[in-house]
Amino acid sequence: MDKGVGARVHAARSFVLLGHRPRHTKPCRPRSITRTVGAAADDKISSRIGSWVSDDYNVDFAREYDRSIADLWTDENNNGCIVLSRSENKLNSRLLADELSKPVTIPPERLGYEDYKGNAELRQAVADYASSTFVRNVQIERDHLCVSAGCGAVIENTSLALCDWGDLALVPAPYYSFFDRDLGMRAGVKILPVFSSTTTGSLNVQDFEKCFQTATERGKSPRLLLLTNPNNPLGTVYSSKQYLDLLAWAAGRNLHVISDEIYANSIFGESGRRAFISALDLEPQLLRMGLSQFVSNNLHVVFGFTKDFGAAGLRIGCLHTRNAQLIKAWNALGYQCAISTHTQYAFTRILRNQTFVAHFLAENAAALRKTHGALTSALERANISYQDSSAGLFVWIDLRHLLETPSFESERTLWQRLAQDCRVLLSPGQFFHSKEPGFFRLCFAWMDPDALSVAVERLSKYEPRQNEAGGENKR
């Protein structure tokens, strides 16, 4: 496979835009998804898939990404490109790689087909891991777990199982750019972005109720609520009260809830560590509120090892649900996204080594804290504003002062000029359905940490090009 194409197809859940549609969506208006019959106009791929992968913004991003990857910054190549769009953690890759490299003998029976929900040994190891790390009040049982090839596949299959084509999902914005594809491409679920009425971006039940009512008045009530905690792209952690209030509201509206907790063990700030609570840990309170049917059937939690272990290539995503019909359906849904039995065997051994897991997570949190601190210090010295964050692999930065006009068209122009003139590749806010143009997600855990101060210095020195008429751009 051509290296450029390979990078776009295989490169993790949150940095390449294959399948992402970055057009700005107004509050409470669903994205139009139509089922198209027949081949695409050029007969090379179907129009159904072509509509997801042919957006010109996708093409531009992929081109800039490939160009940047081919000329990456290093100590020896100090004029190289600095890629800060890739939400992947390489800070402690050596630790995990060394542990995986230890000799292991794989039984021959592990070379055959196994349970498409993940084999029992892996699911037990995952249950023990979750119960001893980010879940505090509930003992996870392996029979409530389904394990597949990445959290994207897990979310896609969950929405496919729970929703019908054309159903609506409420998602607080800004949100992870691939959710549009994860919910829409195969399941045909349309996302309604919910914009916070607060200045802090907190979860406000009234905002969700307003969006729900607006959709209902237009003829279709939402079916699903998709949350991400810690948040991507903001790197913030929601309080337990916000989460509990919203879950109780969702129960009252008979919504299915997917709580995406893929960054649950990537919390590096004390405020985030104190605030974070898994949706699973709220089950006892929900039960005391008389919401047993909601807990049993409608609450689904996603987590994995792509971010927290820097193991995107291993493709291990997990679903916790008590919905017996959904678990049964996974025998069919999991067929096309099963994890290789070799990976399952090897990672089961990793998770059973509780000493290693505890050491790795502690080292990872320390590395994230140190790198995040160095980055934010550099941003402050450069007078670049950013959203306070305590989790994840990214910082939400404010470059509105560099826009020619307050528009997403101007944001796109700025993004491309930063990539070409500054050789710094960021992810523009429009990809995440930001309410306002000029914000960018900056990922800090994939490049060499020494590159971060160089990138910030380049951004601080950026001067907009003169316009075609020869005058200065309006700022």
Side-chain angles (χ1 to χ4, degrees):
M1 180 181 287
D2 174 78
K3 290 183 179 178
V5 175
R8 291 197 293 273
V9 173
H10 298 293
R13 195 170 163 243
S14 46
F15 76 99
V16 173
L17 304 175
L18 180 62
H20 171 253
R21 295 168 163 187
R23 300 182 185 90
H24 184 54
T25 306
K26 294 181 179 180
C28 303
R29 292 185 180 275
R31 179 181 310 285
S32 175
I33 298 177
T34 57
R35 187 189 295 273
T36 307
V37 179
D42 60 7
D43 292 327
K44 294 178 181 177
I45 59 174
S46 71
S47 56
R48 181 185 67 251
I49 298 302
S51 67
W52 286 95
V53 302
S54 302
D55 185 276
D56 59 345
Y57 214 161
N58 294 342
V59 174
D60 285 349
F61 187 93
R63 184 184 300 112
E64 291 299 337
Y65 177 82
D66 286 346
R67 182 186 63 80
S68 300
I69 288 293
D71 186 25
L72 272 181
W73 180 95
T74 64
D75 286 334
E76 293 75 30
N77 182 27
N78 54 25
N79 194 42
C81 299
I82 302 176
V83 175
L84 304 177
S85 59
R86 185 162 174 166
S87 183
E88 193 172 347
N89 186 353
K90 289 174 62 177
L91 297 177
N92 285 289
S93 296
R94 186 73 268 159
L95 274 176
L96 181 59
D98 287 346
E99 190 67 18
L100 284 168
S101 298
K102 292 180 178 178
V104 58
T105 300
I106 299 178
E109 58 267 22
R110 286 302 171 87
L111 301 180
Y113 291 117
E114 294 196 350
D115 192 330
Y116 293 134
K117 300 188 299 294
N119 69 45
E121 290 84 356
L122 176 61
R123 285 185 286 119
Q124 185 61 56
V126 168
D128 294 341
Y129 158 81
S131 299
S132 64
T133 57
F134 68 93
V135 180
R136 308 181 193 120
N137 303 326
V138 176
Q139 186 65 37
I140 305 301
E141 298 179 16
R142 74 182 186 191
D143 290 343
H144 295 150
L145 290 172
C146 301
V147 186
S148 289
C151 290
V154 169
I155 290 173
E156 180 179 74
N157 278 337
T158 302
S159 62
L160 184 63
L162 299 177
C163 301
D164 291 316
W165 189 276
D167 277 348
L168 305 178
L170 300 174
V171 183
Y175 59 80
Y176 165 60
S177 59
F178 267 40
F179 281 159
D180 290 307
R181 183 203 62 181
D182 291 345
L183 271 63
M185 190 163 69
R186 287 190 174 90
V189 176
K190 310 170 188 176
I191 288 180
L192 294 171
V194 181
F195 296 97
S196 177
S197 59
T198 70
T199 57
T200 60
S202 61
L203 300 176
N204 187 329
V205 168
Q206 287 72 31
D207 296 330
F208 290 85
E209 175 64 18
K210 180 179 179 181
C211 222
F212 185 95
Q213 290 290 353
T214 299
T216 302
E217 290 168 4
R218 291 174 177 161
K220 195 173 185 67
S221 296
R223 167 80 169 168
L224 178 69
L225 171 63
L226 174 56
L227 304 170
T228 306
N229 190 32
N231 179 277
N232 176 11
L234 300 181
T236 52
V237 175
Y238 298 120
S239 72
S240 59
K241 185 181 187 310
Q242 291 178 50
Y243 233 54
L244 180 63
D245 288 349
L246 193 56
L247 293 180
W249 171 83
R253 287 301 189 181
N254 197 30
L255 295 174
H256 281 278
V257 175
I258 299 175
S259 180
D260 181 357
E261 300 177 10
I262 192 172
Y263 294 99
N265 274 323
S266 293
I267 301 174
F268 51 82
E270 281 304 316
S271 61
R273 189 173 291 107
R274 288 193 303 270
F276 177 78
I277 187 166
S278 171
L280 293 170
D281 279 329
L282 294 173
E283 287 183 347
Q285 295 182 64
L286 292 167
L287 291 173
R288 288 195 293 270
M289 296 166 70
L291 301 176
S292 59
Q293 287 299 311
F294 174 75
V295 170
S296 298
N297 297 310
N298 289 40
L299 184 58
H300 321 282
V301 175
V302 175
F303 61 97
F305 304 94
T306 294
K307 310 300 182 181
D308 294 340
F309 276 68
L314 296 185
R315 313 305 300 138
I316 307 174
C318 312
L319 170 71
H320 180 280
T321 182
R322 300 180 188 274
N323 185 320
Q325 291 301 309
L326 176 55
I327 294 171
K328 183 178 180 180
W330 217 268
N331 292 318
L333 293 167
Y335 170 74
Q336 292 175 313
C337 55
I339 307 166
S340 86
T341 53
H342 177 275
T343 299
Q344 293 190 54
Y345 187 83
F347 212 74
T348 297
R349 184 176 62 85
I350 294 289
L351 293 178
R352 283 176 172 170
N353 186 344
Q354 296 182 1
T355 301
F356 170 78
V357 169
H359 173 67
F360 181 88
L361 292 179
E363 289 292 309
N364 187 53
L368 289 172
R369 188 180 309 112
K370 179 180 177 181
T371 308
H372 175 270
L375 170 63
T376 53
S377 294
L379 290 170
E380 289 169 7
R381 290 194 299 271
N383 292 317
I384 296 175
S385 299
Y386 62 91
Q387 169 91 38
D388 287 336
S389 57
S390 58
L393 315 176
F394 28 74
V395 172
W396 189 244
I397 64 172
D398 181 356
L399 299 181
R400 286 177 295 177
H401 61 287
L402 296 179
L403 296 178
E404 298 176 21
T405 62
S407 66
F408 284 100
E409 291 78 9
S410 182
E411 178 186 274
R412 179 174 178 175
T413 298
L414 175 61
W415 160 78
Q416 193 156 37
R417 289 177 177 173
L418 293 177
Q420 294 174 354
D421 296 355
C422 294
R423 301 170 70 78
V424 175
L425 186 63
L426 302 167
S427 296
Q430 188 177 3
F431 289 171
F432 306 94
H433 301 269
S434 174
K435 186 176 183 180
E436 185 177 358
F439 293 90
F440 293 78
R441 191 186 71 172
L442 188 163
C443 298
F444 59 80
W446 186 73
M447 286 291 299
D448 185 321
D450 290 341
L452 298 175
S453 60
V454 178
V456 173
E457 182 179 10
R458 292 181 186 180
L459 295 175
S460 68
K461 293 181 178 179
Y462 170 73
E463 291 291 340
R465 300 176 186 174
Q466 290 185 337
N467 60 33
E468 294 181 359
E472 292 294 329
N473 288 328
K474 295 179 180 180
R475 298 282 290 280

